[in-house]
Protein backbone atom coordinates (compact mmCIF):
# COMPACT_ATOMS: atom_id res chain seq x y z
CA UNK A 1 0.00 0.00 0.00
CA UNK A 2 2.81 2.41 0.79
CA UNK A 3 4.32 1.85 -2.65
CA UNK A 4 0.89 2.40 -4.18
CA UNK A 5 0.45 5.74 -2.38
CA UNK A 6 3.98 6.92 -3.13
CA UNK A 7 4.12 5.99 -6.78
CA UNK A 8 0.64 5.40 -8.16
CA UNK A 9 -2.10 7.25 -6.33
CA UNK A 10 -3.10 10.33 -8.42
CA UNK A 11 -3.12 12.96 -5.67
CA UNK A 12 -2.85 15.85 -8.12
CA UNK A 13 -5.86 14.60 -10.09
CA UNK A 14 -7.91 14.29 -6.88
CA UNK A 15 -6.87 17.83 -5.90
CA UNK A 16 -7.91 19.34 -9.25
CA UNK A 17 -11.24 17.49 -9.21
CA UNK A 18 -12.14 18.59 -5.68
CA UNK A 19 -10.68 22.09 -5.94
CA UNK A 20 -11.96 23.14 -9.41
CA UNK A 21 -8.80 25.21 -9.74
CA UNK A 22 -5.04 24.79 -10.09
CA UNK A 23 -4.28 26.85 -6.96
CA UNK A 24 -5.74 25.89 -3.56
CA UNK A 25 -9.17 27.26 -2.67
CA UNK A 26 -11.57 26.69 0.22
CA UNK A 27 -13.04 23.79 -1.75
CA UNK A 28 -9.84 21.92 -0.86
CA UNK A 29 -8.30 23.63 2.18
CA UNK A 30 -11.58 23.47 4.12
CA UNK A 31 -12.40 19.94 2.96
CA UNK A 32 -12.61 17.09 5.47
CA UNK A 33 -10.58 13.92 4.97
CA UNK A 34 -10.90 10.87 7.21
CA UNK A 35 -8.42 7.99 7.43
CA UNK A 36 -8.98 4.36 8.34
CA UNK A 37 -5.82 2.82 9.79
CA UNK A 38 -5.02 -0.86 10.45
CA UNK A 39 -6.87 -2.06 13.53
CA UNK A 40 -9.96 -0.01 12.60
CA UNK A 41 -8.50 3.23 13.92
CA UNK A 42 -10.51 6.10 12.43
CA UNK A 43 -9.13 9.64 12.16
CA UNK A 44 -11.61 12.38 11.23
CA UNK A 45 -11.46 16.15 10.65
CA UNK A 46 -8.18 16.24 8.74
CA UNK A 47 -7.60 19.02 6.19
CA UNK A 48 -4.71 20.04 3.97
CA UNK A 49 -3.31 23.03 2.13
CA UNK A 50 -2.31 21.24 -1.05
CA UNK A 51 -2.10 17.92 -2.88
CA UNK A 52 1.48 17.51 -1.64
CA UNK A 53 0.35 17.97 1.98
CA UNK A 54 -2.32 15.31 1.49
CA UNK A 55 0.16 12.92 -0.10
CA UNK A 56 2.68 13.45 2.70
CA UNK A 57 0.09 12.64 5.37
CA UNK A 58 -1.26 9.61 3.49
CA UNK A 59 2.22 8.18 3.05
CA UNK A 60 2.99 8.80 6.71
CA UNK A 61 -0.19 7.10 7.95
CA UNK A 62 -0.44 4.45 5.20
CA UNK A 63 -4.22 4.06 5.72
CA UNK A 64 -6.20 1.08 4.47
CA UNK A 65 -8.45 3.69 2.85
CA UNK A 66 -9.46 7.33 3.21
CA UNK A 67 -12.73 9.17 2.76
CA UNK A 68 -13.75 12.61 1.54
CA UNK A 69 -16.33 14.80 3.24
CA UNK A 70 -17.77 18.28 2.73
CA UNK A 71 -16.25 21.74 2.61
CA UNK A 72 -16.71 23.34 6.04
CA UNK A 73 -17.02 26.92 7.22
CA UNK A 74 -13.64 26.51 8.98
CA UNK A 75 -10.71 24.20 8.38
CA UNK A 76 -11.65 20.78 9.78
CA UNK A 77 -8.28 20.44 11.50
CA UNK A 78 -9.19 23.58 13.51
CA UNK A 79 -12.54 22.18 14.64
CA UNK A 80 -11.56 22.06 18.31
CA UNK A 81 -10.49 25.70 18.35
CA UNK A 82 -13.64 27.24 16.81
CA UNK A 83 -17.08 27.66 18.34
CA UNK A 84 -19.38 24.71 17.54
CA UNK A 85 -21.87 27.12 15.96
CA UNK A 86 -19.13 28.36 13.61
CA UNK A 87 -18.31 24.91 12.23
CA UNK A 88 -20.79 23.53 9.69
CA UNK A 89 -20.78 22.13 6.12
CA UNK A 90 -21.26 24.71 3.39
CA UNK A 91 -20.57 22.74 0.19
CA UNK A 92 -20.57 19.12 -0.85
CA UNK A 93 -20.80 17.13 -4.06
CA UNK A 94 -24.20 15.53 -4.49
CA UNK A 95 -23.40 11.86 -3.94
CA UNK A 96 -25.25 8.58 -4.47
CA UNK A 97 -24.37 5.07 -3.35
CA UNK A 98 -25.67 1.86 -4.96
CA UNK A 99 -24.65 -1.42 -3.32
CA UNK A 100 -25.13 -4.87 -4.81
CA UNK A 101 -26.16 -6.35 -1.44
CA UNK A 102 -29.44 -4.42 -1.75
CA UNK A 103 -30.22 -6.71 -4.70
CA UNK A 104 -29.50 -9.97 -2.85
CA UNK A 105 -33.16 -10.94 -2.71
CA UNK A 106 -33.50 -10.83 -6.48
CA UNK A 107 -30.09 -11.77 -7.90
CA UNK A 108 -29.58 -15.47 -8.48
CA UNK A 109 -25.93 -15.73 -9.53
CA UNK A 110 -24.15 -14.37 -6.42
CA UNK A 111 -24.93 -13.26 -2.88
CA UNK A 112 -23.38 -11.20 -0.09
CA UNK A 113 -19.95 -9.90 -1.01
CA UNK A 114 -19.85 -11.82 -4.28
CA UNK A 115 -20.16 -10.03 -7.60
CA UNK A 116 -19.74 -11.13 -11.20
CA UNK A 117 -20.29 -9.75 -14.68
CA UNK A 118 -23.83 -11.19 -14.72
CA UNK A 119 -25.13 -9.50 -11.59
CA UNK A 120 -23.31 -6.30 -12.56
CA UNK A 121 -26.33 -5.92 -14.86
CA UNK A 122 -28.31 -4.63 -11.86
CA UNK A 123 -25.73 -1.89 -11.29
CA UNK A 124 -25.56 -1.11 -15.01
CA UNK A 125 -29.34 -0.63 -15.16
CA UNK A 126 -29.22 1.63 -12.09
CA UNK A 127 -26.43 3.74 -13.57
CA UNK A 128 -28.27 4.18 -16.85
CA UNK A 129 -31.49 5.35 -15.17
CA UNK A 130 -29.86 7.59 -12.58
CA UNK A 131 -27.37 9.15 -14.99
CA UNK A 132 -30.03 10.04 -17.58
CA UNK A 133 -32.54 11.15 -14.94
CA UNK A 134 -30.15 13.53 -13.21
CA UNK A 135 -28.96 15.01 -16.49
CA UNK A 136 -32.41 15.35 -18.06
CA UNK A 137 -34.45 16.42 -15.01
CA UNK A 138 -31.91 18.56 -13.16
CA UNK A 139 -29.44 19.56 -15.86
CA UNK A 140 -26.38 18.23 -14.04
CA UNK A 141 -23.37 17.60 -16.27
CA UNK A 142 -20.32 17.03 -14.02
CA UNK A 143 -20.95 13.44 -13.01
CA UNK A 144 -18.23 11.03 -11.87
CA UNK A 145 -19.16 7.36 -11.44
CA UNK A 146 -16.68 5.37 -9.33
CA UNK A 147 -16.62 1.59 -8.81
CA UNK A 148 -16.47 0.92 -5.07
CA UNK A 149 -13.81 -1.77 -5.41
CA UNK A 150 -16.07 -4.63 -4.39
CA UNK A 151 -19.82 -4.75 -4.99
CA UNK A 152 -21.17 -1.29 -5.69
CA UNK A 153 -20.77 2.08 -7.33
CA UNK A 154 -20.69 5.70 -6.16
CA UNK A 155 -21.74 8.85 -7.99
CA UNK A 156 -20.21 12.28 -7.32
CA UNK A 157 -21.86 15.34 -8.93
CA UNK A 158 -19.67 18.45 -8.96
CA UNK A 159 -21.92 21.00 -10.72
CA UNK A 160 -21.91 24.27 -8.72
CA UNK A 161 -25.69 24.07 -8.23
CA UNK A 162 -25.34 20.54 -6.83
CA UNK A 163 -22.48 21.58 -4.53
CA UNK A 164 -24.66 24.28 -2.95
CA UNK A 165 -27.70 22.11 -2.16
CA UNK A 166 -28.82 22.10 1.49
CA UNK A 167 -29.60 18.89 3.35
CA UNK A 168 -33.31 19.55 2.95
CA UNK A 169 -32.96 20.09 -0.80
CA UNK A 170 -30.94 16.87 -1.08
CA UNK A 171 -33.65 14.99 0.79
CA UNK A 172 -36.34 16.31 -1.57
CA UNK A 173 -34.22 15.42 -4.61
CA UNK A 174 -33.55 11.85 -3.49
CA UNK A 175 -37.21 11.36 -2.56
CA UNK A 176 -38.11 12.53 -6.08
CA UNK A 177 -35.59 10.22 -7.75
CA UNK A 178 -36.11 7.23 -5.47
CA UNK A 179 -38.58 4.38 -5.88
CA UNK A 180 -36.98 1.38 -4.16
CA UNK A 181 -34.81 2.25 -1.17
CA UNK A 182 -32.07 0.03 0.19
CA UNK A 183 -32.86 -3.65 0.54
CA UNK A 184 -36.65 -3.45 0.38
CA UNK A 185 -37.96 -6.86 -0.50
CA UNK A 186 -39.27 -7.71 -3.90
CA UNK A 187 -42.94 -8.55 -3.66
CA UNK A 188 -43.79 -5.31 -1.90
CA UNK A 189 -46.21 -3.18 -3.91
CA UNK A 190 -44.87 0.22 -4.85
CA UNK A 191 -46.66 3.43 -4.02
CA UNK A 192 -45.57 5.61 -6.94
CA UNK A 193 -48.87 6.50 -8.59
CA UNK A 194 -51.20 9.40 -7.89
CA UNK A 195 -54.47 10.87 -9.16
CA UNK A 196 -57.57 9.13 -10.43
CA UNK A 197 -55.73 7.73 -13.47
CA UNK A 198 -53.06 6.09 -11.30
CA UNK A 199 -50.51 6.95 -13.99
CA UNK A 200 -46.80 7.06 -13.34
CA UNK A 201 -45.16 10.50 -13.25
CA UNK A 202 -43.34 11.37 -16.51
CA UNK A 203 -39.89 10.62 -15.08
CA UNK A 204 -40.90 7.07 -14.13
CA UNK A 205 -42.73 6.49 -17.41
CA UNK A 206 -39.46 7.26 -19.18
CA UNK A 207 -37.62 4.93 -16.81
CA UNK A 208 -40.04 2.07 -17.49
CA UNK A 209 -39.51 2.48 -21.24
CA UNK A 210 -35.75 2.16 -20.91
CA UNK A 211 -35.90 -0.57 -18.26
CA UNK A 212 -38.46 -2.87 -19.95
CA UNK A 213 -35.95 -4.52 -22.34
CA UNK A 214 -33.46 -4.79 -19.46
CA UNK A 215 -36.13 -6.48 -17.36
CA UNK A 216 -36.55 -9.13 -20.07
CA UNK A 217 -32.84 -9.79 -20.61
CA UNK A 218 -31.69 -9.47 -16.98
CA UNK A 219 -34.59 -10.54 -14.76
CA UNK A 220 -36.44 -13.01 -16.97
CA UNK A 221 -33.64 -14.56 -19.03
CA UNK A 222 -30.32 -14.16 -17.23
CA UNK A 223 -31.30 -14.20 -13.55
CA UNK A 224 -34.52 -16.21 -14.12
CA UNK A 225 -35.92 -14.64 -10.94
CA UNK A 226 -39.38 -16.23 -11.05
CA UNK A 227 -38.44 -19.87 -11.71
CA UNK A 228 -38.37 -20.93 -8.04
CA UNK A 229 -41.45 -21.00 -5.82
CA UNK A 230 -39.99 -18.24 -3.65
CA UNK A 231 -39.34 -16.16 -6.74
CA UNK A 232 -42.79 -16.41 -8.25
CA UNK A 233 -44.48 -15.97 -4.85
CA UNK A 234 -42.76 -12.58 -4.65
CA UNK A 235 -44.19 -11.74 -8.07
CA UNK A 236 -47.71 -12.84 -7.07
CA UNK A 237 -47.62 -10.54 -4.03
CA UNK A 238 -47.30 -7.57 -6.38
CA UNK A 239 -50.46 -8.45 -8.35
CA UNK A 240 -53.48 -6.58 -6.90
CA UNK A 241 -56.22 -8.80 -8.41
CA UNK A 242 -56.99 -12.02 -6.48
CA UNK A 243 -58.60 -13.74 -9.49
CA UNK A 244 -55.43 -13.26 -11.52
CA UNK A 245 -53.28 -14.48 -8.64
CA UNK A 246 -55.43 -17.60 -8.17
CA UNK A 247 -55.35 -18.37 -11.90
CA UNK A 248 -51.56 -18.08 -12.03
CA UNK A 249 -51.12 -20.19 -8.91
CA UNK A 250 -53.26 -22.93 -10.44
CA UNK A 251 -51.39 -22.77 -13.74
CA UNK A 252 -47.94 -22.85 -12.14
CA UNK A 253 -48.83 -25.61 -9.68
CA UNK A 254 -48.96 -27.97 -12.69
CA UNK A 255 -45.46 -26.93 -13.80
CA UNK A 256 -43.77 -24.88 -11.05
CA UNK A 257 -40.37 -25.02 -12.77
CA UNK A 258 -41.50 -23.07 -15.82
CA UNK A 259 -39.01 -20.42 -16.82
CA UNK A 260 -39.48 -16.82 -15.77
CA UNK A 261 -40.11 -15.88 -19.40
CA UNK A 262 -42.97 -18.36 -19.64
CA UNK A 263 -44.47 -17.26 -16.32
CA UNK A 264 -44.32 -13.62 -17.40
CA UNK A 265 -46.06 -14.54 -20.65
CA UNK A 266 -48.77 -16.33 -18.64
CA UNK A 267 -49.27 -13.13 -16.66
CA UNK A 268 -49.43 -11.00 -19.82
CA UNK A 269 -52.04 -13.29 -21.38
CA UNK A 270 -54.28 -12.99 -18.32
CA UNK A 271 -53.90 -9.21 -18.33
CA UNK A 272 -55.19 -9.06 -21.92
CA UNK A 273 -58.32 -11.03 -20.95
CA UNK A 274 -58.97 -9.33 -17.61
CA UNK A 275 -61.70 -6.80 -16.82
CA UNK A 276 -59.05 -4.98 -14.78
CA UNK A 277 -56.58 -4.58 -17.63
CA UNK A 278 -55.38 -1.08 -16.68
CA UNK A 279 -54.83 -2.01 -13.03
CA UNK A 280 -52.87 -5.11 -14.00
CA UNK A 281 -50.88 -3.26 -16.68
CA UNK A 282 -49.91 -0.79 -13.98
CA UNK A 283 -48.86 -3.70 -11.78
CA UNK A 284 -46.62 -5.02 -14.57
CA UNK A 285 -44.90 -1.64 -14.80
CA UNK A 286 -44.44 -1.66 -11.03
CA UNK A 287 -42.78 -5.07 -11.21
CA UNK A 288 -40.33 -3.76 -13.81
CA UNK A 289 -39.48 -0.82 -11.53
CA UNK A 290 -39.21 -2.98 -8.42
CA UNK A 291 -36.70 -5.34 -10.02
CA UNK A 292 -34.59 -2.98 -12.14
CA UNK A 293 -34.87 0.60 -10.79
CA UNK A 294 -31.86 1.91 -8.78
CA UNK A 295 -31.88 0.91 -5.11
CA UNK A 296 -30.46 3.92 -3.29
CA UNK A 297 -28.85 4.29 0.13
CA UNK A 298 -30.68 7.54 0.79
CA UNK A 299 -28.78 8.52 3.94
CA UNK A 300 -25.60 8.90 1.90
CA UNK A 301 -27.30 11.45 -0.36
CA UNK A 302 -29.34 13.39 2.19
CA UNK A 303 -26.58 14.65 4.48
CA UNK A 304 -23.71 16.88 3.43
CA UNK A 305 -21.52 15.73 6.32
CA UNK A 306 -21.55 12.12 5.10
CA UNK A 307 -18.09 10.80 4.20
CA UNK A 308 -17.56 8.71 1.08
CA UNK A 309 -14.55 6.63 0.08
CA UNK A 310 -12.14 8.55 -2.15
CA UNK A 311 -11.73 7.49 -5.77
CA UNK A 312 -8.62 5.37 -6.44
CA UNK A 313 -8.48 3.95 -2.92
CA UNK A 314 -7.87 0.21 -2.72
CA UNK A 315 -10.59 -2.03 -1.33
CA UNK A 316 -8.95 -3.95 1.53
CA UNK A 317 -10.89 -7.18 0.87
CA UNK A 318 -10.48 -7.45 -2.91
CA UNK A 319 -7.31 -5.42 -3.52
CA UNK A 320 -9.09 -3.71 -6.43
CA UNK A 321 -8.73 0.01 -7.05
CA UNK A 322 -11.87 2.18 -6.87
CA UNK A 323 -11.71 3.40 -10.45
CA UNK A 324 -13.94 5.82 -12.40
CA UNK A 325 -16.43 4.23 -14.79
CA UNK A 326 -17.74 5.58 -18.09
CA UNK A 327 -21.54 5.60 -17.80
CA UNK A 328 -21.87 5.30 -21.59
CA UNK A 329 -19.97 1.99 -21.47
CA UNK A 330 -21.40 0.70 -18.21
CA UNK A 331 -22.65 -2.56 -19.77
CA UNK A 332 -19.11 -3.42 -20.85
CA UNK A 333 -17.59 -2.83 -17.42
CA UNK A 334 -16.41 -6.00 -15.64
CA UNK A 335 -15.57 -5.58 -11.93
CA UNK A 336 -13.42 -8.69 -12.01
CA UNK A 337 -11.10 -7.04 -14.56
CA UNK A 338 -10.44 -3.87 -12.54
CA UNK A 339 -6.71 -3.51 -11.78
CA UNK A 340 -5.63 -4.60 -8.31
CA UNK A 341 -2.86 -3.03 -6.28
CA UNK A 342 -0.74 -6.17 -6.68
CA UNK A 343 -1.17 -6.12 -10.45
CA UNK A 344 -0.20 -2.44 -10.66
CA UNK A 345 2.95 -2.91 -8.55
CA UNK A 346 3.92 -5.87 -10.75
CA UNK A 347 3.45 -3.70 -13.86
CA UNK A 348 5.80 -1.10 -12.38
CA UNK A 349 8.38 -3.72 -11.44
CA UNK A 350 8.29 -5.10 -14.98
CA UNK A 351 8.92 -1.64 -16.46
CA UNK A 352 11.63 -0.44 -14.15
CA UNK A 353 11.96 3.05 -12.71
CA UNK A 354 14.05 4.57 -15.50
CA UNK A 355 11.38 4.61 -18.20
CA UNK A 356 10.70 8.00 -19.81
CA UNK A 357 8.31 9.00 -22.54
CA UNK A 358 9.29 9.77 -26.14
CA UNK A 359 9.97 13.41 -25.40
CA UNK A 360 12.41 12.54 -22.65
CA UNK A 361 10.24 13.91 -19.81
CA UNK A 362 9.62 11.60 -16.85
CA UNK A 363 6.12 10.24 -16.69
CA UNK A 364 4.01 9.93 -13.57
CA UNK A 365 4.26 6.30 -12.54
CA UNK A 366 0.53 5.67 -12.94
CA UNK A 367 0.86 6.62 -16.62
CA UNK A 368 2.94 3.48 -17.18
CA UNK A 369 0.28 1.13 -15.84
CA UNK A 370 -3.27 -0.04 -16.53
CA UNK A 371 -4.43 2.70 -14.14
CA UNK A 372 -3.84 5.35 -16.80
CA UNK A 373 -7.22 5.30 -18.63
CA UNK A 374 -9.06 5.67 -15.33
CA UNK A 375 -6.96 8.63 -14.17
CA UNK A 376 -7.36 10.20 -17.61
CA UNK A 377 -11.13 9.95 -17.14
CA UNK A 378 -10.96 11.90 -13.87
CA UNK A 379 -8.54 14.43 -15.37
CA UNK A 380 -10.95 15.17 -18.20
CA UNK A 381 -13.69 16.04 -15.71
CA UNK A 382 -11.27 18.05 -13.55
CA UNK A 383 -10.16 20.02 -16.60
CA UNK A 384 -13.76 20.93 -17.42
CA UNK A 385 -14.31 22.11 -13.84
CA UNK A 386 -11.10 24.19 -13.89
CA UNK A 387 -11.98 25.72 -17.26
CA UNK A 388 -15.36 26.78 -15.85
CA UNK A 389 -13.63 28.36 -12.85
CA UNK A 390 -11.27 30.29 -15.13
CA UNK A 391 -14.23 31.48 -17.19
CA UNK A 392 -16.02 32.69 -14.03
CA UNK A 393 -12.90 34.62 -12.98
CA UNK A 394 -12.66 36.27 -16.41
CA UNK A 395 -16.33 37.22 -16.33
CA UNK A 396 -15.93 38.78 -12.88
CA UNK A 397 -12.86 40.76 -13.95
CA UNK A 398 -14.77 42.16 -16.91
Amino acid sequence: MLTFYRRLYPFKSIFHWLNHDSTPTRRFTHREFAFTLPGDVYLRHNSFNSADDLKKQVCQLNPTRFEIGPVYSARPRDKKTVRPSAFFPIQRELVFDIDMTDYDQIRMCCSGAGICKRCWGFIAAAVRVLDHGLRDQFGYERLLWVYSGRRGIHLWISDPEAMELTDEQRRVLVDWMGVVFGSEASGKRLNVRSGASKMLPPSLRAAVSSLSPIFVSLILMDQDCFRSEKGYEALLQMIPDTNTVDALKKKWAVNPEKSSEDKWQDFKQLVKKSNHRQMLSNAMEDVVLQYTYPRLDVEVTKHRNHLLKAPFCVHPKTGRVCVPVDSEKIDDFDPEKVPSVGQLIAELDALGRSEVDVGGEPQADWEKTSLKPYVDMMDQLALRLMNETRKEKRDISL
Side-chain angles (χ1 to χ4, degrees):
M1 284 301 300
L2 187 55
T3 301
F4 174 76
Y5 288 134
R6 283 176 173 167
R7 299 184 60 186
L8 291 167
Y9 192 88
F11 289 99
K12 189 172 292 186
S13 300
I14 291 287
F15 168 79
H16 287 151
W17 167 62
L18 292 174
N19 190 61
H20 303 194
D21 206 339
S22 56
T23 56
T25 70
R26 292 170 65 94
R27 278 189 290 261
F28 188 82
T29 61
H30 288 52
R31 174 84 64 165
E32 179 183 7
F33 291 85
F35 300 101
T36 301
L37 308 184
D40 286 333
V41 177
Y42 195 54
L43 304 179
R44 284 199 61 179
H45 301 119
N46 301 277
S47 57
F48 304 96
N49 292 325
S50 66
D52 289 339
D53 284 349
L54 173 60
K55 180 176 181 178
K56 181 179 179 181
Q57 184 70 18
V58 169
C59 291
Q60 181 180 335
L61 295 173
N62 194 19
T64 54
R65 72 177 191 182
F66 62 92
E67 297 170 314
I68 299 172
V71 178
Y72 279 93
S73 53
R75 294 175 189 262
R77 67 187 181 193
D78 298 331
K79 180 178 185 293
K80 293 181 179 179
T81 65
V82 299
R83 298 190 316 276
S85 60
F87 187 78
F88 51 88
I90 57 174
Q91 281 187 325
R92 172 58 157 142
E93 290 81 8
L94 179 62
V95 295
F96 291 85
D97 182 12
I98 303 171
D99 196 300
M100 186 64 78
T101 52
D102 290 330
Y103 294 85
D104 277 352
Q105 292 167 322
I106 59 174
R107 61 175 175 151
M108 302 293 113
C109 51
C110 302
S111 63
I115 187 171
C116 67
K117 184 68 170 70
R118 286 179 61 201
C119 57
W120 182 258
F122 288 104
I123 301 293
V127 168
R128 192 179 299 110
V129 169
L130 204 55
D131 191 271
H132 290 168
L134 289 164
R135 292 178 190 274
D136 295 343
Q137 297 176 50
F138 297 94
Y140 296 139
E141 298 178 345
R142 309 299 180 246
L143 280 65
L144 180 72
W145 289 96
V146 181
Y147 169 54
S148 71
R150 193 178 193 182
R151 57 183 179 229
I153 197 164
H154 301 152
L155 171 61
W156 304 71
I157 304 177
S158 300
D159 294 72
E161 298 84 359
M163 295 280 294
E164 299 289 344
L165 291 174
T166 65
D167 285 2
E168 176 62 19
Q169 290 168 334
R170 290 165 197 255
R171 184 191 67 76
V172 171
L173 186 147
V174 76
D175 286 347
W176 170 260
M177 293 296 300
V179 171
V180 184
F181 297 108
S183 57
E184 289 182 0
S186 60
K188 181 179 179 180
R189 293 181 195 170
L190 299 181
N191 183 23
V192 292
R193 300 173 185 274
S194 60
S197 65
K198 295 296 182 182
M199 296 293 288
L200 289 172
S203 59
L204 291 185
R205 287 205 299 273
V208 168
S209 296
S210 64
L211 288 172
S212 291
I214 297 170
F215 177 82
V216 173
S217 60
L218 177 65
I219 303 303
L220 300 183
M221 298 175 65
D222 189 353
Q223 297 290 323
D224 203 3
C225 290
F226 306 138
R227 179 180 287 274
S228 69
E229 182 178 358
K230 181 180 178 181
Y232 72 68
E233 283 291 344
L235 170 62
L236 292 173
Q237 289 175 32
M238 297 189 68
I239 301 174
D241 179 52
T242 55
N243 290 333
T244 303
V245 171
D246 291 342
L248 290 173
K249 279 185 176 180
K250 185 177 180 180
K251 196 175 188 69
W252 296 342
V254 178
N255 184 9
E257 287 297 311
K258 290 178 77 171
S259 72
S260 297
E261 285 184 276
D262 289 339
K263 286 177 177 148
W264 190 251
Q265 284 300 320
D266 290 340
F267 183 23
K268 289 174 73 172
Q269 291 300 319
L270 287 178
V271 171
K272 291 178 182 178
K273 300 174 184 177
S274 174
N275 295 326
H276 307 289
R277 187 180 302 176
Q278 185 59 58
M279 178 178 69
L280 292 174
S281 295
N282 290 349
M284 295 186 79
E285 292 180 344
D286 291 351
V287 172
V288 171
L289 290 171
Q290 178 70 272
Y291 279 80
T292 57
Y293 196 84
R295 299 190 169 198
L296 305 176
D297 183 344
V298 296
E299 298 306 315
V300 172
T301 306
K302 287 180 180 179
H303 306 293
R304 281 173 295 180
N305 62 358
H306 189 92
L307 292 145
L308 195 60
K309 183 166 51 181
F312 296 105
C313 280
V314 174
H315 196 287
K317 296 288 178 62
T318 64
R320 297 177 191 146
V321 181
C322 303
V323 294
V325 180
D326 185 348
S327 61
E328 294 300 316
K329 301 176 182 177
I330 190 65
D331 292 314
D332 300 326
F333 183 80
D334 187 346
E336 296 179 313
K337 293 182 179 179
V338 167
S340 67
V341 63
Q343 173 191 334
L344 294 168
I345 300 299
E347 289 175 15
L348 279 183
D349 289 344
L351 286 167
R353 296 214 54 169
S354 61
E355 181 169 308
V356 294
D357 66 15
V358 177
E361 294 294 327
Q363 293 177 303
D365 281 342
W366 57 259
E367 291 188 85
K368 309 168 192 174
T369 71
S370 53
L371 200 61
K372 184 180 187 305
Y374 302 106
V375 181
D376 287 344
M377 199 181 305
M378 170 168 274
D379 283 344
Q380 289 169 10
L381 175 59
L383 182 61
R384 293 175 70 184
L385 291 167
M386 291 192 292
N387 285 338
E388 288 168 4
T389 299
R390 281 193 285 269
K391 183 178 182 301
E392 288 173 8
K393 289 180 178 179
R394 285 198 304 268
D395 291 343
I396 292 171
S397 65
L398 294 174

